[in-house]
Amino acid sequence: MDSPPGWRDVRIIASAGVIVCAHAVVGYAVGMWLPAVAAVPVVLVGDYLWNVYPPAMEPLWLRHLTRPASGCCMNTFAADPGGIGAPALLALGLAALAIAAAAASGHTPRLGNLLGFVPYLQRLAREMERP
């Protein structure tokens, strides 16, 4: 699949989007599992270490498991699909593990004010239906 000149490969952009969404899911799962005061620092430090430490490791194959191939591919080169898909697959596995751990824990999920705005939405829908 060819990209327009100056643009990255669409697969690399899609892989990066999957990774960002998976990290958001992990943050949400950790936030449901831990108290809010502890969840934010744990997620920030854990995500920082996840993205910074493996590229500094010596086995070269570990360097490519945290982020998609950025800066490697020009329009004249074809990126290996395994190098693009592996970080996304690992991030999805990490998100599934976090959701499973949060679901298996004995904590009740905190919804916060998520459902508190439903009456306002119902009232807004009724007002919009009026002529």
Side-chain angles (χ1 to χ4, degrees):
M1 174 182 273
D2 291 336
S3 297
W7 286 77
R8 295 186 186 268
D9 191 358
V10 175
R11 296 173 297 170
I12 295 174
I13 295 170
S15 178
V18 167
I19 291 170
V20 167
C21 290
H23 282 267
V25 167
V26 169
Y28 181 74
V30 171
M32 287 179 54
W33 187 49
L34 291 176
V37 174
V40 173
V42 165
V43 169
L44 286 175
V45 170
D47 206 25
Y48 176 78
L49 291 176
W50 179 260
N51 286 310
V52 171
Y53 187 65
M57 296 174 76
E58 183 51 41
L60 295 176
W61 64 272
L62 287 176
R63 295 179 182 189
H64 303 290
L65 288 179
T66 58
R67 61 180 65 115
S70 61
C72 74
C73 312
M74 298 179 356
N75 288 337
T76 58
F77 299 119
D80 184 20
I84 296 171
L89 186 63
L90 185 66
L92 287 175
L94 182 66
L97 178 68
I99 291 293
S105 72
H107 297 108
T108 57
R110 287 184 300 277
L111 296 177
N113 253 352
L114 184 63
L115 299 177
F117 72 95
V118 172
Y120 299 111
L121 289 178
Q122 291 172 345
R123 187 179 338 142
L124 180 66
R126 275 182 273 160
E127 289 178 6
M128 291 178 68
E129 290 176 356
R130 292 182 193 163

